[in-house]
Amino acid sequence: MTRPSTEPTVIRRKEVAVAGISESREDEFPSTSSETAQQPIGSTIVLEPRHLRVTYGKGSHAVTAIADITFQVRAGEFLSIVGPSGCGKTTLLKSLSGLLRPTSGDVLVNGTRVDTASQGLAMVFQEYTRSLLPWLSVRANVEFPLRGSRRTDGRKAVERRADEALAEVGLHGVGDKYPWQLSGGMQQRVAIARALAFRPTVLLMDEPFASLDAQARSDLEDLLLKVHLETGMTIVFVTHDIDEAVYLGDRVVVLSHRPTEVKASLDVDLPRPRDQIETKTLRRFVELRTEALGLVLAERSTEAPA
Amino acid sequence: MRAKAGHLLTVLLLPVTLPVLWWVASSRSSTPYYPPLQEILRGFRAVWTREQLAGELVPSLVSLVVGFAVAVAVGVGGGVALGLSDRLRRDVRPLTEFLRAMPVVALIPIALVLLGPGMRMEIALIAFAACWPVLVSTADGVRAADEVMLDTARIFGVPPRRRLMHVVLPGAMPQVMAGARIAVAAAVGTMVVANMVASSAGLGYLVISAQQSFNVIETWAGLLMIGIVGSCMTSAVVLIERFVLRWHRRWRAQDVDT
């Protein structure tokens, strides 16, 4: 089951069984992208870091966080990214979102080079308490990115989109509360709703469930799977939890330790919809997580001493 | 209910007991410099006639309110600029530290020369004295803007102006209001001093001219009015703060709980 760890292992994805769940919610939550919900992953590449390299500092103090990262994310794909601790996952996400200009290499969104942080992407951070604005109500938080933006037209449309997004994450009727009046899991739902209402080309998620308790965490994993299924949204999900990566993703990209490269890309050929108990007892699930875990652990042991 | 009554009692304890003590202690006083409170209150009503209110109180209040408003505008504007730019803050710091250290009283002679006596000078002095606390705390609040909130807004493509108005400024509001509260005291103090030294009208002028003509009752009555003006101004700022920061008190309380 072990693969050569020096170069990326790319396994062509097999068709994911999504045909059974079709067009149930399309009318309620129309997708912005050209493909409709529930379509199998398209061939269009929506996000592509190309030979991404990030170096902090200069001269002899320079630290290379990311050596060379290239991968492609297709429309509608759920891509999980895992790696050993401190491997520059956050740096990668910052580069993908345009917050951080890479030292060299490009990030392409829908084939166009990203140079600012407003390419129609959305991000859900781990620190929900710091990502939601505490002086705005839940509803106003969800509406915030839509207001004063060219992406939307009119107050009514903004309100409708916020309503739909809140309903999608199961938060009817809490719109008038402040985010900090809600539990951690609910706050992270608000952050997800805010991203959904924005209808991003790609939804980036930076260890979004890492600070939640186990119960809220598995609830939100399943909520995210439901949202992915119903909206057909493209999701890039960074996590340190390998079970979570395999359980959620269509594909798992394994990163090496610093300076970071793509070590492997595993296609997750598990049927959808997934189930916390059934999927996780499948032999294939166990194989995949063992493989991914092996790759990450191997990285940890070969890490150069600091 | 009992807790509430207890709370009310503590709140009223000093404001009620101190005047009562004063009343009792001074009631048999025969020294002219230390008249009974009863006489001061009678004098207060006699002094603060309608004409006196219009002639002495209103000009002071106008200077105070306008000066304070200018201070807040300058303090918030300057504080935002200093908070946003590390370079500007570093370069301007020696100057701001120098000006901050300057006692406003020392500026009165030069203010008289430059602006002449009157409301314009008073407003300028009040604004000068009151802008520093607002400036310094606004700069701190802006600097402490949460990076995650800002990154979130950047990724969503929120333009810089909107990020400033809707992320940075609301986040800095607790500090801005704290600065404004300190500024109230500075503004009231400066108003009184400016009145005393360089005016022919106003609260401070009334107190000092009463004292100079040995009218002790009127001196006390003026002092009482200054106290009332000061606490009203503070209460007004506190009320504004409660409205602007209605999210903040409960948010912080919640932080402590969890």
Side-chain angles (χ1 to χ4, degrees):
Chain A
M1 230 34 231
T2 44
R3 299 179 181 283
S5 59
T6 42
E7 48 188 42
T9 319
V10 180
I11 309 162
R12 286 257 47 82
R13 75 180 316 289
K14 292 160 192 156
E15 268 315 305
V16 170
V18 287
I21 343 92
S22 54
E23 72 262 342
S24 51
R25 298 281 297 264
E26 269 177 314
D27 47 334
E28 280 181 59
F29 203 95
S31 168
T32 35
S33 36
S34 52
E35 83 283 336
T36 42
Q38 292 89 47
Q39 268 191 353
I41 297 160
S43 53
T44 334
I45 293 168
V46 289
L47 178 67
E48 181 180 16
R50 253 193 216 166
H51 299 297
L52 201 68
R53 181 183 180 84
V54 178
T55 306
Y56 291 113
K58 278 182 182 153
S60 57
H61 297 289
V63 177
T64 302
I66 294 177
D68 183 356
I69 288 186
T70 301
F71 59 80
Q72 286 107 29
V73 187
R74 291 181 175 73
E77 189 175 18
F78 195 130
L79 178 73
S80 301
I81 298 179
V82 291
S85 334
C87 76
K89 288 175 287 209
T90 301
T91 304
L92 173 62
L93 273 186
K94 284 200 163 184
S95 314
L96 291 182
S97 63
L99 284 178
L100 184 76
R101 198 179 288 257
T103 313
S104 65
D106 296 313
V107 175
L108 304 181
V109 173
N110 280 331
T112 321
R113 220 183 131 197
V114 169
D115 43 12
T116 56
S118 52
Q119 300 295 314
L121 306 185
M123 174 96 94
V124 173
F125 287 92
Q126 180 185 335
E127 306 100 322
Y128 45 82
T129 48
R130 295 176 57 199
S131 168
L132 298 169
L133 305 176
W135 49 86
L136 294 182
S137 69
V138 164
R139 159 179 288 283
N141 262 290
V142 174
E143 291 173 357
F144 178 66
L146 306 176
R147 292 199 183 278
S149 145
R150 277 160 288 136
R151 289 172 68 86
T152 42
D153 25 37
R155 177 178 270 272
K156 277 270 175 287
V158 168
E159 281 170 6
R160 212 187 57 238
R161 271 164 73 162
D163 277 338
E164 284 169 359
L166 283 170
E168 181 72 20
V169 300
L171 286 181
H172 320 258
V174 302
D176 294 328
K177 291 202 184 233
Y178 285 109
W180 37 266
Q181 292 175 310
L182 309 175
S183 68
M186 301 245 291
Q187 289 187 52
Q188 202 54 302
R189 280 171 200 246
V190 177
I192 293 171
R194 179 173 62 182
L196 290 180
F198 190 67
R199 294 183 191 160
T201 317
V202 179
L203 171 57
L204 306 172
M205 305 185 89
D206 186 5
E207 304 196 12
F209 308 147
S211 48
L212 300 177
D213 62 81
Q215 178 71 52
R217 189 177 180 139
S218 62
D219 285 353
L220 275 173
E221 287 168 2
D222 289 335
L223 172 83
L224 191 62
L225 285 175
K226 183 194 78 141
V227 165
H228 178 237
L229 217 54
E230 287 171 359
T231 63
M233 190 172 285
T234 314
I235 300 176
V236 173
F237 188 96
V238 168
T239 177
H240 60 256
D241 181 334
I242 285 148
D243 283 42
E244 186 174 68
V246 173
Y247 177 64
L248 295 174
D250 294 315
R251 195 152 61 95
V252 177
V253 164
V254 182
L255 300 178
S256 71
H257 58 73
R258 277 182 186 226
T260 312
E261 296 177 333
V262 175
K263 191 175 174 192
S265 168
L266 311 176
D267 274 4
V268 181
D269 45 359
L270 296 169
R272 289 188 190 271
R274 298 197 180 150
D275 180 271
Q276 291 282 0
I277 293 166
E278 273 176 38
T279 303
K280 287 183 177 174
T281 45
L282 289 176
R283 212 171 124 198
R284 186 69 188 129
F285 176 85
V286 178
E287 282 170 9
L288 282 164
R289 78 169 280 276
T290 308
E291 187 179 356
L293 185 62
L295 288 163
V296 171
L297 289 180
E299 275 311 303
R300 267 192 359 204
S301 57
T302 61
E303 191 166 1
Chain B
M1 206 56 213
R2 259 189 78 168
K4 219 171 182 178
H7 174 71
L8 199 69
L9 202 71
T10 15
V11 165
L12 290 178
L13 199 61
L14 282 181
V16 171
T17 47
L18 282 183
V20 167
L21 271 178
W22 185 5
W23 184 283
V24 172
S26 66
S27 59
R28 298 218 191 114
S29 167
S30 51
T31 34
Y33 307 121
Y34 182 47
L37 182 55
Q38 200 180 356
E39 272 183 48
I40 295 174
L41 290 179
R42 204 179 298 139
F44 185 85
R45 249 183 294 169
V47 169
W48 291 111
T49 57
R50 201 171 289 251
E51 299 85 69
Q52 283 281 76
L53 286 175
E56 310 292 345
L57 178 64
V58 169
S60 287
L61 280 182
V62 171
S63 300
L64 184 63
V65 170
V66 175
F68 183 75
V70 171
V72 169
V74 171
V76 170
V80 166
L82 292 183
L84 289 180
S85 163
D86 285 331
R87 231 192 101 188
L88 184 68
R89 192 170 51 249
R90 209 181 47 228
D91 294 352
V92 170
R93 199 187 162 114
L95 180 69
T96 53
E97 289 300 313
F98 176 77
L99 291 174
R100 261 180 81 189
M102 181 76 73
V104 70
V105 184
L107 293 173
I108 291 177
I110 201 71
L112 270 173
V113 171
L114 292 176
L115 300 167
M119 201 173 265
R120 225 156 43 114
M121 179 217 67
E122 283 180 14
I123 289 172
L125 284 176
I126 291 168
F128 178 86
C131 78
W132 301 113
V134 181
L135 183 105
V136 170
S137 49
T138 303
D140 281 350
V142 168
R143 260 182 90 190
D146 195 306
E147 272 309 314
V148 176
M149 285 179 198
L150 283 172
D151 279 351
T152 307
R154 283 191 196 106
I155 292 173
F156 281 121
V158 176
R161 223 185 113 84
R162 204 171 135 76
R163 282 206 300 271
L164 176 67
M165 298 307 289
H166 292 267
V167 181
V168 175
L169 270 185
M173 228 40 202
Q175 274 100 322
V176 174
M177 292 312 301
R181 269 211 235 185
I182 299 171
V184 169
V188 174
T190 308
M191 174 203 74
V192 172
V193 174
N195 275 181
M196 281 183 176
V197 181
S199 297
S200 51
L203 274 174
Y205 172 76
L206 179 121
V207 171
I208 201 127
S209 56
Q211 180 260 321
Q212 279 160 357
S213 53
F214 302 102
N215 190 342
V216 178
I217 298 272
E218 193 175 319
T219 313
W220 279 106
L223 198 61
L224 216 53
M225 187 54 104
I226 290 170
I228 290 168
V229 167
S231 15
C232 285
M233 190 80 179
T234 308
S235 309
V237 171
V238 168
L239 280 180
I240 293 170
E241 176 176 330
R242 282 209 184 157
F243 175 72
V244 174
L245 297 180
R246 56 197 182 284
W247 59 275
H248 188 250
R249 283 169 53 193
R250 285 189 292 154
W251 177 59
R252 278 188 41 208
Q254 226 240 342
D255 250 15
V256 173
D257 282 352
T258 48

